[in-house]
Every structure is written in C-alpha cells, then in structure tokens.
Amino acid sequence: MTLYTIMPNEWVLQNEKEFTYPQENFYYKGILVTAERVLPYRYRIIGITSTNPNDYLNEEFQPGSYIDSGLFEQIH
C-alpha cells in the first residue's frame, strides 16, 4: 500500500510498530558479524564480535556498512 501525504510519518503511523529486519550472524572474512538483511542478497552490518581491536577500526566492518551474501559463511 502506498500512502501519499504531506503529514510527517510519525503523525500518520503513530500506532505502527517500527519495522526491523531480522538479524543474522555469520562469518565474513573470518570475523563474526551480526547483520540485517535489507535486500535478498544484501546485508547491513549491525556489529561484530572479535578479540582483535584492529577489526573494530576497520571501516569495512563498521555498523551501517553493506555486504553481499555471496561473500560470507552462514552459521547454522
């Protein structure tokens, strides 16, 4: 459904819960990543789990970065 309005979304959709994508954990380049699927083959990084402080400084793993699903190993 498409809603065209000049009113702010907060006013129109007051009772709607904010939609969040399900989070998934997987290994990307050897680092455990928590991400949410935004497209069928594209994920946005939420956070990482690593004991190496340099991994947290790597821009490739920063929250909000995008990665493609063909590049990681899924955790079951």
Side-chain angles (χ1 to χ4, degrees):
M1 177 176 103
T2 304
L3 176 65
Y4 296 99
T5 179
I6 61 170
M7 304 296 285
N9 289 338
E10 296 82 25
W11 294 4
V12 177
L13 305 173
Q14 289 181 16
N15 296 328
E16 294 290 325
K17 292 182 179 178
E18 187 175 326
F19 181 77
T20 57
Y21 296 98
Q23 295 181 357
E24 299 180 36
N25 294 317
F26 50 83
Y27 284 99
Y28 175 66
K29 296 189 177 180
I31 297 172
L32 182 60
V33 173
T34 302
E36 60 186 5
R37 184 185 304 229
V38 292
L39 293 172
Y41 297 103
R42 192 139 171 101
Y43 288 78
R44 180 176 33 239
I45 295 177
I46 302 292
I48 63 171
T49 304
S50 177
T51 56
N52 184 351
N54 289 326
D55 292 338
Y56 292 91
L57 298 175
N58 188 341
E59 290 182 14
E60 189 174 9
F61 300 113
Q62 295 296 312
S65 299
Y66 291 94
I67 55 176
D68 294 325
S69 65
L71 303 174
F72 59 78
E73 176 184 334
Q74 193 75 20
I75 297 176
H76 299 283

